[in-house]
Amino acid sequence: MKKRLEYIDRLKGLAMIMVVAGHIIAFCGIGYNNIYMDNIVLINMPLFLFLNGLVVNKPSMANGLWYIRKKICQILIPFLAWGLVITLYKGENYINFLFHFWKFGYWYLIVLFEFYLIYIPISLFSQKVGKSAKSSNVIFVGSIIVGYLVVRAVSRFLPDLAMSFTSYFQILEYYPFFFTGVLIKNYDVEKVLISHRNVVMTILLLGISGFYYLWMEDIYLPISEFILRIALIMMLYVCFMLWDNNPRHDISLYIDRVLKRIGMHTLSIYMIQYFFFRMIDLKTFMQILDIGGNSLLLIGLCVFMSVLVCYLCILVEKVISTSDVLSVIFLGKNNYKYA
């Protein structure tokens, strides 16, 4: 179990670095419309939501309400608290924050909370109705599929304000990735992936190559984009599982420590990162690198700055954690213990 958590932490660290890198390019560099952002957005949040589904704990009939209260404390209260802080920081109106399409960047928190609200009744229903483990599993998978169809159907009747308030557009986009993670955990798929890794890797590489071309050429979108995202996620998932089983030396050990360190604090980093971007101005430098075709240097700069921002966020998190009250309000925790 410990190894599994370690490679998941590394993947979470990678996903967090990609999220921060995307924000640095968009807010502090060359903006949204570039090949770097296109490729980052392709995978960063789908991977992030997949990993959240992968580590979800199954509720029981006895603790269902407690599970919901726990998620309110862990996610919803920090969402509202950081929303107030970022609103004051930006000189905006709190109502504008609540109805903003991206929630000033905090949409991920409310969407994650809503995914838990969808997952909990599905899990409890399958446990209650299923007469055996097999029938419960069938009902569980069927409920997830039906849930997605219902979510899509409801979107046709919701007004735009309701869609924005609930971040419903993001729910529609990321539902398959979160619940793919849930299903992989529920059915212990990693053992199958590892035991057949050569075949799996070959299929994934071929799929990524073909669908990446289709995606770049805007062919059969959004189907090609969805399949490409799933294939990339599974490729990273398998690679990090294999990495976990192999000895590491020198530079790889340093990368390992950095990824795990960041991966253990992803929620706090996500909430704190936005306050550093106004202090960073890389627009001119990135434009020079981009125009000069120095893509590797630009990517290296983004990675370095992303890691730096992540570590600064961890430092701020430690300061906040010195207060029990602030830890509850802004971190969703009563003590400094993260996984």
Side-chain angles (χ1 to χ4, degrees):
M1 188 66 177
K2 184 177 179 181
K3 280 190 174 182
R4 180 178 183 275
L5 288 175
E6 284 186 357
Y7 76 72
I8 290 175
D9 278 338
R10 294 186 198 101
L11 261 177
K12 288 168 67 178
L14 176 64
M16 192 71 252
I17 289 172
M18 287 193 289
V19 169
V20 177
H23 290 153
I24 287 175
I25 293 172
F27 302 148
C28 315
I30 54 179
Y32 288 95
N33 299 319
N34 53 77
I35 189 64
Y36 308 103
M37 283 299 297
D38 290 343
N39 282 273
I40 290 174
V41 172
L42 178 68
I43 185 63
N44 61 354
M45 292 313 297
L47 176 60
F48 217 18
L49 270 301
F50 166 82
L51 293 171
N52 278 281
L54 195 65
V55 299
V56 71
N57 293 316
K58 181 183 290 187
S60 65
M61 299 301 298
N63 71 354
L65 290 177
W66 172 85
Y67 196 99
I68 294 175
R69 288 198 297 268
K70 181 180 178 182
K71 295 307 173 185
I72 290 174
C73 293
Q74 287 181 335
I75 303 172
L76 189 58
I77 291 176
F79 164 75
L80 296 172
W82 284 110
L84 178 59
V85 175
I86 197 69
T87 297
L88 295 173
Y89 183 70
K90 293 169 68 71
E92 288 278 357
N93 184 291
Y94 196 67
I95 298 299
N96 292 341
F97 161 74
L98 293 175
F99 284 91
H100 191 269
F101 185 88
W102 297 112
K103 301 288 187 289
F104 297 167
Y106 289 93
W107 65 268
Y108 160 73
L109 297 176
I110 192 66
V111 168
L112 180 60
F113 178 71
E114 289 167 339
F115 279 151
Y116 280 116
L117 292 183
I118 297 171
Y119 165 72
I120 292 169
I122 286 176
S123 180
L124 296 179
F125 175 74
S126 63
Q127 295 174 49
K128 181 72 173 179
V129 176
K131 303 299 182 182
S132 63
K134 184 176 181 179
S135 62
S136 292
N137 287 334
V138 172
I139 293 170
F140 183 64
V141 175
S143 298
I144 289 175
I145 296 172
V146 171
Y148 182 63
L149 296 176
V150 170
V151 166
R152 293 199 67 86
V154 169
S155 67
R156 298 183 178 184
F157 304 98
L158 286 179
D160 289 342
L161 278 178
M163 296 281 282
S164 296
F165 180 73
T166 57
S167 293
Y168 211 87
F169 295 101
Q170 290 90 333
I171 292 174
L172 289 171
E173 181 174 1
Y174 296 109
Y175 184 108
F177 305 107
F178 178 84
F179 282 98
T180 296
V182 170
L183 290 173
I184 284 179
K185 178 182 180 179
N186 194 66
Y187 296 106
D188 212 16
V189 176
E190 59 261 35
K191 292 181 179 179
V192 178
L193 295 174
I194 289 297
S195 60
H196 299 88
R197 55 185 175 274
N198 292 334
V199 175
V200 170
M201 293 291 279
T202 300
I203 293 173
L204 288 174
L205 284 171
L206 290 174
I208 290 171
S209 300
F211 284 102
Y212 188 79
Y213 172 78
L214 294 177
W215 175 73
M216 288 292 291
E217 297 296 324
D218 291 338
I219 300 174
Y220 299 124
L221 289 176
I223 295 175
S224 60
E225 181 180 72
F226 172 73
I227 297 176
L228 176 59
R229 282 174 155 180
I230 290 291
L232 286 169
I233 288 171
M234 297 312 300
M235 173 65 76
L236 288 170
Y237 183 51
V238 174
C239 287
F240 273 67
M241 281 194 291
L242 294 174
W243 184 17
D244 198 53
N245 294 320
N246 293 315
R248 291 172 290 279
H249 305 284
D250 303 326
I251 186 66
S252 61
L253 278 176
Y254 174 75
I255 295 173
D256 177 83
R257 288 194 297 267
V258 170
L259 290 179
K260 283 196 295 185
R261 177 72 169 170
I262 294 173
M264 292 174 65
H265 301 268
T266 51
L267 192 59
S268 296
I269 293 170
Y270 189 93
M271 294 185 289
I272 298 168
Q273 60 170 318
Y274 295 103
F275 297 93
F276 289 103
F277 297 139
R278 285 193 179 185
M279 308 174 191
I280 303 171
D281 184 3
L282 299 171
K283 183 176 181 180
T284 302
F285 191 33
M286 282 193 179
Q287 285 178 339
I288 293 172
L289 293 177
D290 185 39
I291 294 172
N294 297 302
S295 298
L296 290 178
L297 286 177
L298 192 151
I299 293 170
L301 174 64
C302 288
V303 171
F304 173 79
M305 293 301 300
S306 299
V307 172
L308 178 61
V309 168
C310 288
Y311 272 81
L312 288 173
C313 290
I314 293 172
L315 181 62
V316 173
E317 176 193 15
K318 286 185 176 182
V319 174
I320 294 173
S321 69
T322 59
S323 166
D324 291 338
V325 175
L326 294 180
S327 292
V328 172
I329 296 173
F330 290 105
L331 304 177
K333 299 284 185 178
N334 289 317
N335 51 59
Y336 186 57
K337 183 179 179 181
Y338 296 87

